[in-house]
Amino acid sequence: MKGQCLCQAVIIETMDNHELHACHCGNCRKWGGSAGFTFATQGIDIKGKDNMTSYQMVAWGTRNFCKVCGTHLYFHQLGTDNYYVSAGLFDDMDFKLASQIFIDKKACYYELANDTSKLTESEFITMLTDGCK
């Protein structure tokens, strides 16, 4: 799959994955105004790295974005090859919402009607840390 930022200064290629996750954490909501819609992938190929910057918002990961147009690109889990890539980079993809994480942090001003699995912050962090052992 190949996606790009608004100004096309950054192009990201990933393995095919059409399974989206909605993150309701406070950081995602501040970052984009609502839930963050991403898909998980191992490793990515980036063209235009010079046009990127990152921000370490939590101890275990960075948010990465285009420094030209500000497009949100991905979240990288530090110490791993795990990336959570923004679904908005990819045009006309038939994504399917599979799960919601940090459901206990979801803002009261929206509801997602999709029937998905729902993990609390604690459940998600446990899943991440158990996967790294």
Side-chain angles (χ1 to χ4, degrees):
M1 297 187 332
K2 186 186 271 190
Q4 60 199 16
C5 65
L6 282 170
C7 70
Q8 301 177 13
V10 178
I11 297 170
I12 293 179
E13 279 192 74
T14 71
M15 297 183 305
D16 278 359
N17 184 353
H18 297 262
E19 191 172 279
L20 285 186
H21 309 280
C23 181
H24 301 285
C25 78
N27 291 334
C28 281
R29 288 188 290 114
K30 284 184 191 233
W31 183 254
S34 187
F37 291 89
T38 64
F39 64 90
T41 190
Q42 296 265 301
I44 55 178
D45 181 40
I46 302 169
K47 291 182 178 84
K49 285 183 183 181
D50 291 347
N51 297 313
M52 289 176 47
T53 193
S54 67
Y55 177 66
Q56 187 165 351
M57 192 173 266
V58 293
W60 49 279
T62 60
R63 293 184 180 272
N64 300 268
F65 55 98
C66 175
K67 64 183 179 184
V68 178
C69 66
T71 297
H72 308 166
L73 301 170
Y74 58 84
F75 179 89
H76 177 226
Q77 185 183 350
L78 295 175
T80 73
D81 200 25
N82 297 333
Y83 294 83
Y84 301 89
V85 181
S86 175
L89 301 175
F90 302 85
D91 297 327
D92 302 322
M93 297 301 294
D94 60 342
F95 289 121
K96 180 179 187 318
L97 188 61
S99 72
Q100 298 181 58
I101 59 174
F102 289 80
I103 194 67
D104 53 326
K105 305 297 182 185
K106 186 186 76 54
C108 63
Y109 52 82
Y110 66 87
E111 288 291 332
L112 299 178
N114 308 65
D115 183 21
T116 66
S117 67
K118 296 176 178 152
L119 298 174
T120 65
E121 176 181 18
S122 175
E123 291 167 334
F124 181 70
I125 299 298
T126 298
M127 181 185 75
L128 282 181
T129 56
D130 284 351
C132 292
K133 291 180 183 174

